[in-house]
Amino acid sequence: MYAASGVLTVHTERGTSIVPANRVAWTPAGFAHHHRAHGDTDMRIVFLPPSLARLIPDHPAVFLASDLAREVLLALTGRRNYDAAPAYSRSARSRLLRVLVDELREAPEQPLHLPQPRDDRLQAIARMLHERPADNTSLAELGKTIGASTRTLSRLFRNELGMTFYEWRTQLRIYHALVLLADGHDTTQTAYACGWANPSSFIAAFSNIVGTTPGRYRTSRQTTARASQLPTAVKSSG
């Protein structure tokens, strides 16, 4: 699944993958999933045969699309989201899919997967923070609400989700921030709506996870969306 523009979320039993513009979400066979688009989203879907699927991770993941991967994805699905995909021969399509897989194998996984807790106590915390991402209640106070100690909850976050409570909540807030930015909110509005004390701390956290500032992300998202609407072939003027 590729977001040529906008933001996608892909949900599996493992959690939620956040897919900003120019990222690729990979869902292996056997994972029940559903997805949702946020903002003006141009979504592309490509299926891989088992012979190629086994070359990339056996778990849901998000990758940054290289320039070559983006062009292959657009070629396989149609340059515009309302165009039909070009009628490639079976051998040509196979070669393009192999190039795509080669690019994904070289791309590092993005830290854009929000794991889904299984423990009832963590699920209760997750529900509260999904509903109120700006809530700055400490883990100790949240524990009192659900009847669990800070020590127990900290251990559950590490053992079950592989991260601290602070790291998980930051991932959750980035997820909400990407949705708000896709809906047209500016950096300051988004920072306060997602619980940051000031825009500069939001920009730092966003840059650390997404790899660019919110402002540059919005600009690159618009540029990528325009690129996906260019004609497939451009006649040379020379």
Side-chain angles (χ1 to χ4, degrees):
M1 232 173 248
Y2 172 63
S5 64
V7 174
L8 294 169
T9 50
V10 183
H11 307 272
T12 72
E13 66 266 28
R14 293 281 186 91
T16 300
S17 292
I18 310 157
V19 195
N22 214 35
R23 268 69 173 184
V24 178
W26 163 241
T27 306
F31 282 86
H33 64 280
H34 65 277
H35 59 267
R36 181 179 177 185
H38 304 273
D40 184 11
T41 300
D42 180 358
M43 179 182 68
R44 313 301 182 91
I45 300 177
V46 171
F47 294 91
L48 296 179
S51 60
L52 292 179
R54 68 172 60 102
L55 300 176
I56 48 182
D58 60 359
H59 57 266
V62 180
F63 303 98
L64 178 65
S66 66
D67 291 344
L68 180 54
R70 182 189 69 232
E71 293 303 318
V72 170
L73 285 159
L74 294 177
L76 288 168
T77 57
R79 176 61 63 167
R80 300 180 181 87
N81 59 2
Y82 48 81
D83 284 345
Y88 289 106
S89 67
R90 179 178 296 183
S91 60
R93 186 173 180 84
S94 295
R95 289 193 296 272
L96 285 170
L97 288 173
R98 181 60 200 235
V99 170
L100 175 61
V101 168
D102 284 345
E103 288 297 293
L104 294 182
R105 293 180 70 186
E106 295 296 322
E109 290 188 31
Q110 301 280 284
L112 293 170
H113 182 73
L114 184 69
Q116 175 63 36
R118 297 182 301 276
D119 184 272
D120 291 344
R121 292 159 291 185
L122 295 191
Q123 287 180 1
I125 291 175
R127 283 193 296 270
M128 286 188 283
L129 295 182
H130 268 293
E131 292 171 1
R132 302 187 302 273
D135 189 346
N136 282 308
T137 302
S138 68
L139 185 59
E141 290 299 318
L142 290 170
K144 290 178 183 178
T145 302
I146 63 171
S149 69
T150 305
R151 184 174 181 177
T152 296
L153 293 173
S154 296
R155 175 176 52 79
L156 286 169
F157 269 101
R158 287 194 304 271
N159 294 346
E160 190 170 303
L161 304 182
M163 58 180 68
T164 66
F165 167 68
Y166 174 79
E167 290 169 337
W168 187 88
R169 185 168 64 180
T170 300
Q171 289 275 76
L172 173 72
R173 288 176 168 178
I174 293 296
Y175 158 70
H176 283 280
L178 286 164
V179 171
L180 291 175
L181 291 170
D183 287 337
H185 294 268
D186 64 28
T187 298
T188 300
Q189 292 172 321
T190 301
Y192 292 129
C194 293
W196 276 278
N198 53 67
S200 60
S201 58
F202 164 55
I203 291 169
F206 188 94
S207 301
N208 184 52
I209 291 177
V210 181
T212 187
T213 66
R216 288 175 182 166
Y217 168 74
R218 292 180 67 188
T219 301
S220 66
R221 186 169 63 88
Q222 294 163 358
T223 302
T224 304
R226 287 194 295 269
S228 72
Q229 296 175 357
L230 291 173
T232 303
V234 179
K235 185 180 294 185
S236 173
S237 60

